[in-house]
Amino acid sequence: PWDASYEDLVKLLPVCHNRWLLFAWQDSGRHALLCWSPDTSPIKEKMIYASSKAELTKALKALLAIHCEIAG
């Protein structure tokens, strides 16, 4: 839902797996990337996630002009 809080969103995310979430505001054309990497995710998954984060962020910034990156 559009009026959900950050805490509500975190409750929906897995406690032991990484996720990328891309938010788009329809009225402004702005985007935000939420990088979710909990401490409980497996080491191998964290390594893959960390190694791809910079490239993904760079590509999305170029493509969508992302204004905000949030690490969760």
Coordinates of all heavy atoms in Angstrom, one line a residue:
P1 N 0.8 -1.2 0.0 CA 0.0 0.0 0.0 C 0.9 1.3 0.0 O 2.0 1.3 0.5 CB -0.8 -0.1 1.3 CG -0.3 -1.3 2.0 CD 0.7 -2.0 1.1
W2 N 0.3 2.3 -0.6 CA 1.1 3.5 -0.7 C 1.3 4.2 0.6 O 2.3 5.0 0.8 CB 0.3 4.5 -1.6 CG 0.3 4.0 -3.0 CD1 -0.8 3.5 -3.7 CD2 1.4 4.0 -4.0 NE1 -0.5 3.1 -4.9 CE2 0.9 3.4 -5.1 CE3 2.7 4.4 -3.9 CZ2 1.6 3.2 -6.3 CZ3 3.5 4.2 -5.0 CH2 2.9 3.6 -6.2
D3 N 0.5 4.0 1.6 CA 0.7 4.7 2.9 C 1.5 3.8 3.9 O 1.5 4.1 5.1 CB -0.6 5.1 3.5 CG -1.6 3.9 3.7 OD1 -1.3 2.8 3.2 OD2 -2.6 4.1 4.4
A4 N 2.1 2.7 3.5 CA 2.8 1.8 4.4 C 4.1 2.5 4.9 O 4.7 3.3 4.2 CB 3.1 0.5 3.7
S5 N 4.5 2.2 6.1 CA 5.7 2.7 6.7 C 6.9 1.8 6.3 O 6.7 0.7 5.8 CB 5.6 2.8 8.2 OG 5.5 1.5 8.8
Y6 N 8.1 2.3 6.6 CA 9.3 1.5 6.4 C 9.2 0.3 7.2 O 9.6 -0.8 6.7 CB 10.5 2.4 6.8 CG 11.8 1.6 6.7 CD1 12.4 1.4 5.4 CD2 12.4 1.1 7.8 CE1 13.6 0.7 5.3 CE2 13.6 0.4 7.7 CZ 14.2 0.2 6.5 OH 15.4 -0.5 6.4
E7 N 8.8 0.4 8.4 CA 8.6 -0.8 9.3 C 7.7 -1.8 8.7 O 7.9 -3.0 8.8 CB 8.2 -0.4 10.7 CG 9.2 0.4 11.5 CD 9.4 1.8 11.1 OE1 8.5 2.4 10.4 OE2 10.4 2.4 11.4
D8 N 6.6 -1.4 8.1 CA 5.7 -2.3 7.5 C 6.3 -3.0 6.3 O 6.1 -4.2 6.1 CB 4.4 -1.6 6.9 CG 3.6 -1.0 8.1 OD1 3.6 -1.5 9.2 OD2 2.9 0.0 7.8
L9 N 7.1 -2.3 5.5 CA 7.8 -2.9 4.4 C 8.8 -3.9 4.9 O 8.9 -5.0 4.3 CB 8.5 -1.8 3.6 CG 9.4 -2.3 2.5 CD1 8.6 -3.0 1.4 CD2 10.2 -1.2 1.9
V10 N 9.6 -3.6 5.9 CA 10.6 -4.6 6.4 C 10.0 -5.9 6.9 O 10.6 -6.9 6.7 CB 11.4 -3.9 7.6 CG1 12.3 -4.9 8.3 CG2 12.3 -2.8 7.0
K11 N 8.8 -5.8 7.4 CA 8.1 -7.0 7.9 C 7.8 -8.0 6.7 O 7.7 -9.2 6.9 CB 6.8 -6.7 8.6 CG 7.0 -6.0 9.9 CD 5.6 -5.6 10.5 CE 5.8 -4.8 11.7 NZ 4.5 -4.3 12.2
L12 N 7.7 -7.4 5.5 CA 7.4 -8.2 4.3 C 8.7 -8.9 3.7 O 8.6 -9.8 2.9 CB 6.7 -7.4 3.2 CG 5.4 -6.8 3.6 CD1 4.9 -5.8 2.5 CD2 4.4 -7.8 3.9
L13 N 9.8 -8.4 4.1 CA 11.1 -8.8 3.5 C 11.6 -10.1 4.2 O 11.4 -10.2 5.4 CB 12.1 -7.7 3.5 CG 11.8 -6.5 2.7 CD1 12.8 -5.4 3.1 CD2 11.8 -6.8 1.3
P14 N 12.3 -11.0 3.5 CA 12.8 -12.2 4.1 C 13.9 -11.8 5.1 O 14.7 -10.9 4.9 CB 13.4 -13.0 2.9 CG 13.6 -12.0 1.9 CD 12.6 -10.9 2.1
V15 N 14.0 -12.6 6.2 CA 15.0 -12.3 7.2 C 16.3 -12.8 6.9 O 17.3 -12.5 7.6 CB 14.5 -12.8 8.6 CG1 13.3 -12.0 9.1 CG2 14.3 -14.2 8.6
C16 N 16.5 -13.7 5.9 CA 17.8 -14.2 5.6 C 18.1 -14.3 4.1 O 18.9 -15.1 3.7 CB 18.0 -15.6 6.3 SG 16.6 -16.7 6.1
H17 N 17.6 -13.4 3.4 CA 17.9 -13.3 2.0 C 18.0 -11.8 1.5 O 17.2 -11.0 2.0 CB 16.9 -14.0 1.1 CG 17.0 -15.5 1.3 ND1 18.0 -16.3 0.9 CD2 16.1 -16.3 1.9 CE1 17.8 -17.5 1.2 NE2 16.6 -17.6 1.9
N18 N 18.9 -11.5 0.6 CA 19.0 -10.1 0.1 C 17.9 -9.8 -0.9 O 17.5 -10.7 -1.6 CB 20.4 -10.0 -0.6 CG 21.5 -10.3 0.4 OD1 21.5 -9.9 1.5 ND2 22.5 -11.1 -0.1
R19 N 17.6 -8.6 -1.0 CA 16.6 -8.1 -2.0 C 16.9 -6.7 -2.5 O 17.5 -5.9 -1.8 CB 15.2 -8.1 -1.4 CG 14.6 -9.4 -1.0 CD 14.3 -10.2 -2.3 NE 13.6 -11.5 -2.0 CZ 14.2 -12.6 -1.8 NH1 15.5 -12.7 -2.0 NH2 13.6 -13.7 -1.6
W20 N 16.6 -6.4 -3.7 CA 16.6 -5.1 -4.3 C 15.1 -4.6 -4.4 O 14.3 -5.4 -4.9 CB 17.2 -5.1 -5.7 CG 18.5 -5.7 -5.8 CD1 18.8 -6.9 -6.4 CD2 19.8 -5.2 -5.4 NE1 20.2 -7.1 -6.4 CE2 20.8 -6.1 -5.8 CE3 20.2 -4.0 -4.8 CZ2 22.1 -5.9 -5.5 CZ3 21.5 -3.8 -4.5 CH2 22.5 -4.7 -4.9
L21 N 14.8 -3.4 -4.0 CA 13.5 -2.9 -4.2 C 13.6 -1.5 -4.9 O 14.4 -0.7 -4.4 CB 12.8 -2.7 -2.8 CG 12.4 -4.0 -2.1 CD1 13.5 -4.4 -1.2 CD2 11.1 -3.8 -1.5
L22 N 12.9 -1.4 -5.9 CA 12.9 -0.1 -6.7 C 11.6 0.6 -6.5 O 10.5 0.0 -6.8 CB 13.2 -0.4 -8.2 CG 13.3 0.8 -9.1 CD1 14.5 1.7 -8.6 CD2 13.5 0.4 -10.5
F23 N 11.6 1.8 -6.0 CA 10.4 2.6 -5.8 C 10.3 3.6 -6.9 O 11.3 4.3 -7.2 CB 10.4 3.2 -4.4 CG 10.3 2.2 -3.3 CD1 11.5 1.8 -2.7 CD2 9.1 1.8 -2.8 CE1 11.5 0.8 -1.7 CE2 9.1 0.8 -1.8 CZ 10.2 0.4 -1.3
A24 N 9.1 3.9 -7.4 CA 8.9 4.9 -8.4 C 7.7 5.8 -7.9 O 6.7 5.3 -7.5 CB 8.6 4.3 -9.7
W25 N 7.9 7.1 -7.9 CA 6.8 8.0 -7.6 C 6.3 8.5 -8.9 O 6.9 9.2 -9.7 CB 7.4 9.2 -6.8 CG 7.7 8.9 -5.4 CD1 6.9 9.0 -4.3 CD2 8.9 8.3 -4.9 NE1 7.5 8.6 -3.2 CE2 8.7 8.1 -3.5 CE3 10.1 7.8 -5.4 CZ2 9.7 7.5 -2.7 CZ3 11.0 7.3 -4.6 CH2 10.8 7.1 -3.3
Q26 N 5.0 8.2 -9.1 CA 4.3 8.5 -10.4 C 4.2 10.0 -10.7 O 4.4 10.4 -11.8 CB 3.0 7.8 -10.5 CG 3.0 6.3 -10.5 CD 1.6 5.7 -10.4 OE1 0.6 6.4 -10.2 NE2 1.5 4.4 -10.7
D27 N 4.0 10.7 -9.7 CA 3.8 12.2 -9.9 C 5.0 12.9 -10.2 O 5.0 14.0 -10.8 CB 3.0 12.8 -8.7 CG 3.8 12.6 -7.4 OD1 4.6 11.7 -7.3 OD2 3.5 13.4 -6.5
S28 N 6.2 12.4 -9.8 CA 7.4 13.2 -10.0 C 8.4 12.5 -10.9 O 9.4 13.1 -11.4 CB 8.1 13.4 -8.7 OG 8.6 12.2 -8.1
G29 N 8.2 11.2 -11.3 CA 9.1 10.5 -12.1 C 10.4 10.2 -11.4 O 11.4 9.8 -12.0
R30 N 10.5 10.3 -10.1 CA 11.7 10.0 -9.3 C 11.7 8.5 -8.8 O 10.6 7.9 -8.7 CB 11.7 10.9 -8.1 CG 11.9 12.4 -8.5 CD 12.0 13.3 -7.3 NE 13.2 13.0 -6.6 CZ 14.0 13.9 -6.1 NH1 13.7 15.2 -6.2 NH2 15.1 13.6 -5.5
H31 N 12.9 8.0 -8.6 CA 13.0 6.6 -8.2 C 14.0 6.5 -7.0 O 14.8 7.4 -6.8 CB 13.6 5.8 -9.3 CG 12.8 5.8 -10.6 ND1 12.8 6.8 -11.5 CD2 11.9 4.9 -11.0 CE1 11.9 6.5 -12.4 NE2 11.3 5.4 -12.2
A32 N 13.8 5.5 -6.2 CA 14.7 5.2 -5.1 C 15.0 3.7 -5.1 O 14.1 2.9 -5.3 CB 14.1 5.6 -3.8
L33 N 16.2 3.3 -4.8 CA 16.6 2.0 -4.7 C 16.9 1.6 -3.2 O 17.6 2.2 -2.6 CB 17.9 1.7 -5.5 CG 18.5 0.3 -5.5 CD1 17.5 -0.7 -6.1 CD2 19.8 0.3 -6.2
L34 N 16.2 0.6 -2.8 CA 16.4 0.1 -1.4 C 17.2 -1.2 -1.5 O 16.8 -2.1 -2.2 CB 15.1 -0.2 -0.7 CG 15.2 -0.9 0.7 CD1 15.8 0.1 1.7 CD2 13.8 -1.3 1.1
C35 N 18.3 -1.2 -0.9 CA 19.2 -2.4 -0.9 C 19.1 -3.1 0.5 O 19.5 -2.6 1.5 CB 20.7 -1.9 -1.1 SG 20.9 -0.9 -2.5
W36 N 18.5 -4.3 0.4 CA 18.2 -5.0 1.6 C 19.1 -6.2 1.8 O 19.1 -7.1 0.9 CB 16.7 -5.5 1.6 CG 16.3 -6.4 2.8 CD1 16.2 -7.8 2.7 CD2 16.0 -6.0 4.1 NE1 15.8 -8.2 4.0 CE2 15.7 -7.1 4.8 CE3 16.0 -4.7 4.7 CZ2 15.4 -7.0 6.2 CZ3 15.6 -4.7 6.0 CH2 15.3 -5.8 6.7
S37 N 20.0 -6.2 2.8 CA 20.9 -7.3 3.0 C 21.0 -7.5 4.5 O 21.9 -6.9 5.2 CB 22.3 -6.9 2.4 OG 23.2 -8.0 2.6
P38 N 20.2 -8.4 5.1 CA 20.2 -8.6 6.5 C 21.4 -9.4 6.9 O 22.1 -10.1 6.2 CB 18.9 -9.4 6.7 CG 18.6 -10.1 5.4 CD 19.1 -9.2 4.4
D39 N 21.8 -9.2 8.2 CA 23.0 -9.8 8.8 C 22.8 -11.4 8.7 O 23.9 -12.1 8.7 CB 23.2 -9.4 10.2 CG 23.6 -8.0 10.3 OD1 24.1 -7.4 9.3 OD2 23.4 -7.4 11.4
T40 N 21.6 -11.9 8.7 CA 21.4 -13.3 8.7 C 21.4 -14.0 7.3 O 21.3 -15.2 7.3 CB 20.0 -13.6 9.3 OG1 19.0 -12.9 8.6 CG2 20.0 -13.2 10.8
S41 N 21.7 -13.2 6.3 CA 21.8 -13.9 4.9 C 23.1 -14.7 4.8 O 24.1 -14.3 5.4 CB 21.6 -12.9 3.8 OG 22.7 -11.9 3.9
P42 N 23.1 -15.7 4.0 CA 24.3 -16.6 3.9 C 25.5 -15.7 3.3 O 25.3 -14.8 2.5 CB 23.9 -17.6 2.9 CG 22.4 -17.6 2.9 CD 22.0 -16.3 3.2
I43 N 26.7 -16.1 3.7 CA 27.9 -15.4 3.3 C 28.0 -15.4 1.8 O 28.3 -14.3 1.3 CB 29.1 -16.1 4.0 CG1 29.1 -16.0 5.5 CG2 30.4 -15.4 3.4 CD1 29.1 -14.6 6.1
K44 N 27.8 -16.5 1.1 CA 28.0 -16.5 -0.3 C 27.0 -15.5 -1.0 O 27.4 -14.8 -1.9 CB 27.8 -17.9 -0.9 CG 28.0 -18.1 -2.3 CD 27.9 -19.5 -2.8 CE 28.2 -19.6 -4.3 NZ 28.1 -20.9 -4.8
E45 N 25.8 -15.5 -0.5 CA 24.8 -14.6 -1.0 C 25.2 -13.2 -0.8 O 25.0 -12.3 -1.7 CB 23.4 -14.9 -0.4 CG 22.3 -14.2 -1.0 CD 20.9 -14.6 -0.5 OE1 20.7 -15.8 -0.4 OE2 20.1 -13.7 -0.2
K46 N 25.7 -12.9 0.4 CA 26.2 -11.5 0.7 C 27.3 -11.1 -0.3 O 27.4 -9.9 -0.7 CB 26.7 -11.4 2.1 CG 25.6 -11.3 3.1 CD 26.2 -11.2 4.5 CE 25.1 -11.0 5.5 NZ 25.1 -9.7 6.1
M47 N 28.2 -12.0 -0.6 CA 29.3 -11.7 -1.4 C 28.8 -11.4 -2.9 O 29.3 -10.4 -3.5 CB 30.3 -12.9 -1.5 CG 31.1 -13.0 -0.1 SD 32.1 -14.5 0.0 CE 33.2 -14.2 -1.4
I48 N 27.9 -12.2 -3.4 CA 27.4 -12.0 -4.7 C 26.6 -10.6 -4.7 O 26.7 -9.8 -5.7 CB 26.5 -13.1 -5.1 CG1 27.3 -14.4 -5.3 CG2 25.7 -12.8 -6.4 CD1 26.5 -15.7 -5.5
Y49 N 25.8 -10.4 -3.7 CA 25.1 -9.2 -3.6 C 26.0 -7.9 -3.6 O 25.8 -7.0 -4.3 CB 24.2 -9.2 -2.3 CG 23.3 -8.1 -2.0 CD1 22.0 -8.1 -2.6 CD2 23.7 -7.0 -1.2 CE1 21.2 -7.0 -2.4 CE2 22.8 -6.0 -1.0 CZ 21.6 -6.0 -1.5 OH 20.7 -5.0 -1.3
A50 N 27.0 -8.0 -2.7 CA 28.0 -6.9 -2.6 C 28.7 -6.6 -3.9 O 28.9 -5.5 -4.3 CB 28.9 -7.1 -1.5
S51 N 29.1 -7.7 -4.6 CA 29.8 -7.5 -5.9 C 29.0 -7.0 -7.0 O 29.5 -6.4 -7.9 CB 30.5 -8.8 -6.3 OG 29.5 -9.8 -6.6
S52 N 27.7 -7.2 -7.0 CA 26.8 -6.7 -8.0 C 26.2 -5.3 -7.7 O 25.6 -4.7 -8.6 CB 25.7 -7.7 -8.3 OG 24.9 -7.9 -7.2
K53 N 26.2 -4.9 -6.5 CA 25.5 -3.7 -6.0 C 26.0 -2.4 -6.8 O 25.2 -1.7 -7.3 CB 25.7 -3.5 -4.5 CG 25.1 -2.2 -4.0 CD 25.3 -2.0 -2.6 CE 24.7 -0.7 -2.1 NZ 25.1 -0.4 -0.7
A54 N 27.3 -2.3 -6.9 CA 27.9 -1.1 -7.6 C 27.4 -1.0 -9.0 O 27.0 0.1 -9.5 CB 29.4 -1.0 -7.4
E55 N 27.5 -2.1 -9.7 CA 27.2 -2.2 -11.1 C 25.7 -1.9 -11.4 O 25.3 -1.2 -12.3 CB 27.6 -3.5 -11.7 CG 27.9 -3.5 -13.2 CD 28.9 -2.4 -13.6 OE1 29.9 -2.2 -13.0 OE2 28.7 -1.8 -14.7
L56 N 24.9 -2.6 -10.5 CA 23.4 -2.4 -10.6 C 23.0 -0.9 -10.3 O 22.3 -0.3 -11.1 CB 22.7 -3.3 -9.6 CG 21.2 -3.1 -9.6 CD1 20.5 -3.5 -10.9 CD2 20.6 -3.9 -8.4
T57 N 23.6 -0.3 -9.3 CA 23.3 1.0 -9.0 C 23.7 2.0 -10.1 O 23.0 2.9 -10.5 CB 24.0 1.4 -7.7 OG1 23.6 0.5 -6.6 CG2 23.7 2.8 -7.2
K58 N 24.9 1.8 -10.6 CA 25.4 2.6 -11.8 C 24.4 2.5 -13.0 O 24.1 3.5 -13.6 CB 26.8 2.1 -12.1 CG 27.4 2.9 -13.3 CD 28.8 2.3 -13.6 CE 29.4 2.8 -14.8 NZ 30.6 2.2 -15.2
A59 N 24.0 1.3 -13.3 CA 23.1 1.1 -14.5 C 21.8 1.8 -14.2 O 21.2 2.4 -15.1 CB 22.9 -0.4 -14.7
L60 N 21.2 1.6 -13.0 CA 19.9 2.2 -12.7 C 20.0 3.7 -12.7 O 19.1 4.4 -13.1 CB 19.4 1.6 -11.4 CG 18.9 0.2 -11.5 CD1 18.5 -0.3 -10.1 CD2 17.7 0.0 -12.4
K61 N 21.1 4.2 -12.1 CA 21.2 5.7 -12.1 C 21.2 6.3 -13.5 O 20.7 7.3 -13.8 CB 22.4 6.1 -11.3 CG 22.3 6.0 -9.9 CD 23.5 6.5 -9.1 CE 23.3 6.4 -7.6 NZ 24.4 6.9 -6.8
A62 N 21.9 5.6 -14.4 CA 22.0 6.0 -15.8 C 20.7 5.9 -16.5 O 20.2 6.8 -17.3 CB 23.1 5.3 -16.6
L63 N 20.0 4.8 -16.2 CA 18.7 4.5 -16.9 C 17.6 5.3 -16.4 O 16.7 5.8 -17.1 CB 18.4 3.0 -16.8 CG 17.2 2.5 -17.5 CD1 17.3 2.6 -19.0 CD2 16.9 1.0 -17.2
L64 N 17.5 5.4 -15.1 CA 16.3 6.0 -14.4 C 16.5 7.3 -13.7 O 15.6 7.8 -13.1 CB 15.7 4.9 -13.4 CG 15.2 3.6 -14.0 CD1 14.8 2.7 -12.9 CD2 14.1 3.8 -15.0
A65 N 17.8 7.7 -13.6 CA 18.1 8.9 -12.9 C 17.7 8.7 -11.4 O 17.0 9.6 -10.9 CB 17.6 10.1 -13.5
I66 N 18.1 7.7 -10.8 CA 17.8 7.4 -9.4 C 18.3 8.5 -8.5 O 19.5 8.9 -8.6 CB 18.3 6.0 -8.9 CG1 17.5 5.0 -9.6 CG2 18.2 5.9 -7.4 CD1 17.8 3.6 -9.2
H67 N 17.5 9.1 -7.6 CA 17.9 10.2 -6.8 C 18.3 9.8 -5.4 O 18.9 10.5 -4.7 CB 16.8 11.2 -6.7 CG 16.4 11.7 -8.0 ND1 17.1 12.7 -8.6 CD2 15.4 11.4 -8.8 CE1 16.5 13.0 -9.8 NE2 15.5 12.2 -9.9
C68 N 18.0 8.5 -5.0 CA 18.2 8.1 -3.6 C 18.5 6.7 -3.6 O 17.9 5.9 -4.2 CB 17.0 8.4 -2.8 SG 17.1 8.0 -1.1
E69 N 19.5 6.3 -2.8 CA 19.9 4.9 -2.6 C 19.8 4.7 -1.1 O 20.4 5.4 -0.3 CB 21.2 4.6 -3.1 CG 21.6 3.1 -2.9 CD 23.0 2.8 -3.4 OE1 23.5 3.6 -4.2 OE2 23.6 1.9 -2.9
I70 N 19.0 3.7 -0.7 CA 18.8 3.4 0.8 C 19.3 2.0 1.1 O 18.9 1.1 0.4 CB 17.3 3.5 1.1 CG1 16.7 4.9 0.7 CG2 17.1 3.3 2.6 CD1 15.2 4.9 0.6
A71 N 20.2 1.9 2.0 CA 20.6 0.6 2.5 C 19.9 0.2 3.7 O 19.7 0.9 4.6 CB 22.1 0.7 2.8
G72 N 19.3 -1.0 3.6 CA 18.5 -1.5 4.7 C 19.1 -2.7 5.4 O 20.0 -3.3 5.0

